[in-house]
Every structure is written in C-alpha cells, then in structure tokens.
Amino acid sequence: MYPESVRASLAAVEAAREANIAYEPRRMTADEKSALLAAFHPDHRKDAFETLVIGPNKGELVPHELAEMLQAKSRITSDAVDLTKPDYDVDVLVIGGGGAGSSAAIEAHEAGANVMIVTKLRLGDANTMMAEGGIQAADKPNDSPAIHFLDAFGGGHFAAKRDLLSKLVCDAPEAIQWLSKLGVEFDKMPDGTMVTTHGGGTSRKRMHAARDYSGAEIMRTLRDEVLNREIPVVDFTAAIELILDENGKAAGAVLMNMETKDLYVARAKTVIIATGGAGRMHYQGFPTSNHYGATADGLVLGYRAGAKLLYADTLQYHPTGAAYPSQIFGALVTEKVRSLGAKLVNANGEVFMHPLETRDVSAASIIRECNERGNGVATTNGYGVWLDTPMIEKIGGEGTIEARIPAMMRMFGQYGIDIRKEPILVYPTLHYQNGGLDITPDGMTTEVENLFVAGEAVGGIHGRNRLMGNSLLDIIVFGRSAGQHAAAKSKDVTVGALTLAHIDAFDAARAEAGLENDAVSPKLLPNYTKERSEV
Ligand code: MEZ
C-alpha cells in the first residue's frame, strides 16, 4: 500500500506504461558514462575517503570507515593466548562459513586434508545466502569464456587482473556442472536445458538461476555437502587475529567465542580467509543488501598480518535496493527484475536510462535522477525511482512474476504491494566490495605465504565494478581452487614456532604515525544501538 503522497506519481507511471514498454532507451556512450560516474557515483565522493598512514597500502585511499578498522588496534595483545598449546591443530583452517568457505572446505576435504571451518555466526550466514538473480557461465553454443571475459573486463573498467578474470570465466562452465552434481536445482526448460537470462553489461544470456533465490539454493547445497562430509564447523566463533610462524608465514588464527569471549588457538599449515564482504560498514551512510556479519573482517586480519589490498577504494552500490517501505529499506531487489523487462522510471513516469547498463552506471544514473534532476519520489528514507514491475507480466505473460521472481513477490507482498500490479520504489544500496586482498591465481596472497583468500574478500577478480552473477561464480571457482591449493600446499609445510609479534609491530607503526584512537578491529558485528553515523 502506497501513501497518498506518491499516488500522483504512481498514476503517471501507470499512464505511461504501454508507451514505456515500447520505448527503447539507448545505451550511454563511454564518455557519457565516465562523466556520470565522476559526478554521481559514491566511489568518486572525495570527502568519503582518506589516505592510509600505516600498513602495506600506506598512501592509498580507502573509505573512512574502512581506514578506521584497518588501522585500529587488535582486539588482543600479543601475549593474550598461549601459542604453545593450540586448541585446534589442522592442515587447512577456513575462516568463514559462506559459499567460498564451504567450497574451499569441500575441496580441501576431497584432497584428503584435515580441514576445519570457523565462522562467527552459523554455517551459511553469509552474502551467498542473500544472492538472488543468478550465476554466470558461458556454456551455451552462442557464447564462450572469451566473450564472458570481454563483458566482465569492460564492465570492470579494464582493471581486473587478467589472470584472475581468465580463471573465473574459463572455470565457470565446470562450476555449474559441479553445483548441479551436488544437487543445486537450476531453472531448466522442459527439455532439460538451463534457462539463462541477461544481466547488466552481458552480451549473451548466461545467467543461470534458481528462481530469485539462487544464492540460497547454492548455499543450501554446499551446507549439506559440508555436513554430509562431517567437516568440523566451529560456529559462533570469530577469527580475531591471524597467527604467523617465526618465518612470517600464516600458521593459524586466534579464535573468540562470540558469546563467552573465551579465546582459542587454532594452528594450521595453511589458512583460507573467506570472510565475505563489508555492507554492514554502511559506507557513506548507505543501507545494505548484505547479511548481518558483513564487516570486512578478512581485510582487517590480512592487512594487520602484512597482506596487501587491491582496489579497496571501490564498492558496489546495487542500483535497486528497496527504497520503500522502511522495513525492507536497502534490501536487494534483484537485477533479474530488469532482466525480465521492468524499466526504471522517474517520478514523472519517464524512462530515464537503459535498464541493463552496468551496476555502477545504473546506480549513478538513479542518484543523478533523484539528487540533481529532482525527479525522484520522496519516501520516508529519502528518495527513490520506480521500477515498473507490472511491465514483466505484460511482456512475459501473466504468471511470469510468480514463476521467475517469487521471492520478490513475497517480499513486497508482505507490505501490501502486489508487484504484478504496482511498481516498486528503489534506490542504490551498498551491495559488494569490489576490492579486497591481493592474490595470485592459486588463491594465495601476494605477500603472506600460506595465507589464501577466496570470495568477496579477494580484490582484483572483477576490477572496479562487478557484473551481476559473477560473484556467485567467483565464490565457487576461487573457493574450490583455494581449497585445492591450500590442501596441496599443506602437505609440504612445516609450521615454525607460532607468534603474534605482528600485533606489536602494528602497534609500533600506529604510535609512530600518531594514531591514538581506541578503535579495535575486526568489527565482527554492526552496532545498531548507536546513531547511523556511528554504526
Ligand atoms: O551478483 C549479484 O550481485 C546478484 C546476482 C545480485 C542480484 O541482483 O540478484
């Protein structure tokens, strides 16, 4: 049910619907996109960033909120635990229980390694679970990994590390097969071929989906596999500091029970950081589509231990977060809604952009429409534009919404909005961390030996912007690969004496740089008892 205040705008959208369906907005030129991004994308707001003064990326810009965490004190001192008496001793320690961590653990287990997952919430409490629209793979006759590469490389502003992106697209078809064999129920045609759709910036239909809860379906399957294999999972326990050995190689982590705050030592021959994203850092005050634990922990752990970040200054704002009602403010409205034909329409009922521009361009375009052009619809949380969902039924036929995006229908239906009949209000929401820890194609960090990274905590796979469906793909491709390589590497590792000396070195660097605040990191969970600006 929409309030009276938006009814005139709603009527304008309805009146223009038939004409808007027929209207084909042109794509922006490269110059238009560059000018738009520079003026309206949040990554270009100079006042939202600061220069790091310590650590491996000293001198580089990152968002204020991330700078505070990267340069904060450890939650512990270097003598807080007895490193000579590990509570756990494993070949491969996986930090994080989402899609990347689970894939890594499954493959490490398959390779015969003694592997353990530690997660601060529960197995599957992760952004993987929240992903909706699908996973890309070039496995149709009119497509190829090379075309997939070109789409993703261009969409990421030609900044992706070529070897990482190449691995992503080349291993994609096999990743879909692996998931299918494990039991993921992808949408299929009556003859058994996979249903595939477009996403923003794709030149071929290569998005494989399970309705609009693709991530939940993938996570369900991976979680079952982890449990069936009886891989140990230590839940409600956070990794709060990496442990190195006397040779500077990763050798485990200090763990903290989230409830009792008791500390434990996990010794490992190799460590995989798979801690996911950072939406709950609420950069620039944005709402987020991310799960409750997305607080950039892996970046902080790696950074303090000497690992380098790549592109930590670039975030993805998903163009269509729910702008109304307040109860779901910032929740993901899958890009698949636009893939199925819904267009973005301003307060006057005008289509103002092509619905499948890449995400950074789409988000900036919506922000411009609301903030500069004054064509946004006022909501209780600011402004939004319409996403004209009834177009989907008109284009695809009655029943398309229920069949293809039932979760969207249910989410808005709970608040009295029938998306088959009424459009919805959307505004960009903090969705994905494009940057992260710098790795080589085998998944190991460029600076710290035996420290691997997979999933959203990696930087460089997608460059400075990611296409839809390439994240569910990267957690599988790089998760599996990290598990395989970490297991193989663990066979040759002899762990030296454990140490937390890097905490002292970091404290000394803080002092030298004049950093005197009391912030501690990793953040672990957001604090919604404070004002939004302090969250
Ligand atoms: O890749 C994503 O971020 C994704 C599939 C999101 C969506 O719009 O559904």
Side-chain angles (χ1 to χ4, degrees):
M1 284 287 278
Y2 285 109
E4 197 49 44
S5 56
V6 307
R7 295 225 154 256
S9 173
L10 190 55
V13 175
E14 276 162 4
R17 184 164 297 134
E18 291 298 338
N20 280 342
I21 289 174
Y23 173 60
E24 289 208 15
R26 71 171 176 84
R27 301 251 181 193
M28 282 178 226
T29 65
D31 286 346
E32 284 170 336
K33 286 182 197 175
S34 300
L36 174 71
L37 291 174
F40 294 101
H41 193 277
D43 277 358
H44 292 263
R45 277 197 56 174
K46 290 203 167 47
D47 60 348
F49 295 83
E50 71 187 64
T51 305
L52 292 169
V53 294
I54 56 170
N57 291 77
K58 183 175 166 177
E60 292 181 20
L61 284 174
V62 297
H64 293 305
E65 300 85 346
L66 182 59
E68 186 187 18
M69 289 297 102
L70 288 174
Q71 302 184 133
K73 289 194 289 199
S74 174
R75 286 176 169 265
I76 53 169
T77 53
S78 59
D79 58 359
V81 286
D82 184 353
L83 294 168
T84 64
K85 294 199 183 86
D87 301 281
Y88 305 95
D89 202 350
V90 295
D91 295 333
V92 181
L93 174 67
V94 179
I95 304 174
S102 299
S103 301
I106 291 166
E107 289 293 357
H109 185 261
E110 181 68 21
N114 170 12
V115 54
M116 178 176 104
I117 297 177
V118 57
T119 170
K120 67 183 173 186
L121 294 167
R122 298 163 305 177
L123 187 63
D125 285 337
N127 282 347
T128 302
M129 191 65 112
M130 322 279 286
E132 295 172 353
I135 170 169
Q136 288 202 43
D139 56 5
K140 290 279 170 85
N142 70 341
D143 202 359
S144 71
I147 302 175
H148 188 177
F149 182 97
L150 290 175
D151 287 349
F153 199 50
H157 301 283
F158 309 99
K161 284 176 85 168
R162 285 163 188 258
D163 49 5
L164 299 186
L165 183 55
S166 178
K167 181 177 175 59
L168 181 81
V169 298
C170 290
D171 291 0
E174 218 273 300
I176 299 291
Q177 290 309 316
W178 186 71
L179 288 172
S180 289
K181 281 189 197 129
L182 286 182
V184 172
E185 302 260 4
F186 286 113
D187 296 341
K188 298 205 180 80
M189 315 275 270
D191 69 357
T193 49
M194 299 247 187
V195 176
T196 49
T197 50
H198 271 301
T202 61
S203 62
R204 298 290 187 278
K205 291 183 177 176
R206 69 170 78 88
M207 203 72 58
H208 303 61
R211 308 290 199 277
D212 55 349
Y213 40 79
S214 311
E217 171 62 7
I218 289 173
M219 194 65 242
R220 173 192 72 77
T221 309
L222 295 175
R223 185 168 52 191
D224 279 356
E225 186 66 15
V226 168
L227 298 178
N228 287 342
R229 286 172 178 262
E230 299 184 354
I231 295 171
V233 179
V234 183
D235 59 8
F236 294 112
T237 300
I240 57 167
E241 197 64 56
L242 289 178
I243 298 171
L244 302 179
D245 75 1
E246 58 197 330
N247 305 311
K249 299 177 185 176
V254 178
L255 312 181
M256 184 186 81
N257 180 298
M258 293 291 280
E259 198 181 347
T260 63
K261 309 290 184 249
D262 288 340
L263 299 178
Y264 301 93
V265 172
R267 196 176 96 118
K269 292 177 178 156
T270 55
V271 178
I272 303 176
I273 289 178
T275 49
R280 295 284 163 173
M281 300 284 277
H282 293 290
Y283 298 129
Q284 301 187 34
F286 270 84
T288 186
S289 58
N290 283 188
H291 87 110
Y292 187 51
T295 49
D297 300 353
L299 274 54
V300 169
L301 295 179
Y303 195 69
R304 202 149 49 221
K308 256 193 162 160
L309 301 169
L310 186 63
Y311 304 144
D313 59 332
T314 157
L315 283 307
Q316 179 164 89
Y317 298 83
H318 194 294
T320 58
Y324 180 88
S326 293
Q327 293 93 323
I328 51 169
F329 182 50
L332 181 61
V333 174
T334 175
E335 195 163 316
K336 190 169 176 183
V337 174
R338 283 173 286 141
S339 306
L340 293 175
K343 288 182 180 140
L344 290 158
V345 180
N346 68 21
N348 312 318
E350 297 151 350
V351 171
F352 59 91
M353 56 169 284
H354 189 286
L356 287 177
E357 294 283 9
T358 53
R359 283 188 178 165
D360 51 354
V361 171
S362 304
S365 187
I366 293 170
I367 292 171
R368 174 175 65 184
E369 203 63 19
C370 294
N371 296 5
E372 189 197 54
R373 296 181 172 167
N375 289 335
V377 182
T379 71
T380 31
N381 298 297
Y383 286 89
V385 295
W386 296 105
L387 182 54
D388 199 5
T389 46
M391 286 183 175
I392 296 174
E393 299 274 289
K394 289 195 175 284
I395 296 165
E398 213 175 298
T400 307
I401 286 185
E402 191 166 8
R404 305 290 297 276
I405 46 171
M408 290 295 96
M409 196 174 121
R410 205 165 44 244
M411 180 164 87
F412 285 94
Q414 282 175 341
Y415 303 102
I417 298 169
D418 183 345
I419 70 171
R420 295 170 299 187
K421 303 197 176 102
E422 288 179 307
I424 54 181
L425 283 165
V426 294
Y427 192 79
T429 185
L430 184 53
H431 183 61
Y432 187 76
Q433 146 187 283
N434 295 319
L437 293 159
D438 195 4
I439 58 164
T440 51
D442 63 2
M444 197 156 80
T445 56
T446 50
E447 314 297 314
V448 183
E449 199 171 335
N450 299 340
L451 180 62
F452 292 76
V453 193
E456 198 171 339
V458 174
I461 300 174
H462 310 283
R464 293 188 161 273
N465 178 59
R466 176 180 65 76
L467 300 189
M468 171 192 183
N470 274 350
S471 176
L472 279 179
L473 177 60
D474 96 40
I475 60 167
I476 303 302
V477 167
F478 285 91
R480 293 182 68 196
S481 171
Q484 290 157 355
H485 284 99
K489 186 87 189 344
S490 73
K491 296 204 168 80
D492 302 326
V493 170
T494 308
V495 179
L498 303 188
T499 166
L500 288 169
H502 64 281
I503 297 180
D504 298 330
F506 204 78
D507 279 347
R510 273 174 52 87
E512 200 179 321
L515 290 173
E516 281 167 2
N517 61 48
D518 284 330
V520 293
S521 66
K523 192 175 173 101
L524 301 181
L525 295 174
N527 182 355
Y528 292 121
T529 59
K530 293 185 181 173
E531 292 303 309
R532 160 72 67 207
S533 61
E534 295 171 3
V535 167

